[in-house]
Amino acid sequence: MPTKRDLLDLQFMDARCKLIDLAAFLDRIERHEGEPDFRLAAFREALPILLSEKPNRARAVLEALSDQTPEPIEAATIQGAFGAPQV
């Protein structure tokens, strides 16, 4: 079984790159005009989950960015998903 050090050696640079990508994404959002929508709000609400020390953070982030509505919508207005629940 790998140690924490082994995992850091193998995956730190990839995780570092993803974190920098997230920071750049937020910088781009802040530089542009207009009002953000529900997706940015959901994204910001999910960020503290990353810093928590609770187990299953990936699941918690996925659930925070998922529509928990139990009833299906009558008809789709687009082909695809928004990636965050609309509130």
Side-chain angles (χ1 to χ4, degrees), residues 16-49:
R16 176 184 180 271
C17 180
K18 291 174 183 175
L19 192 58
I20 293 168
D21 281 346
L22 290 174
F25 166 71
L26 291 171
D27 286 346
R28 283 190 300 276
I29 295 292
E30 295 302 320
R31 279 196 305 264
H32 288 81
E33 294 181 17
E35 292 300 314
D37 63 21
F38 64 94
R39 292 172 293 181
L40 185 59
F43 189 87
R44 288 181 185 225
E45 287 179 25
L47 286 175
I49 296 169

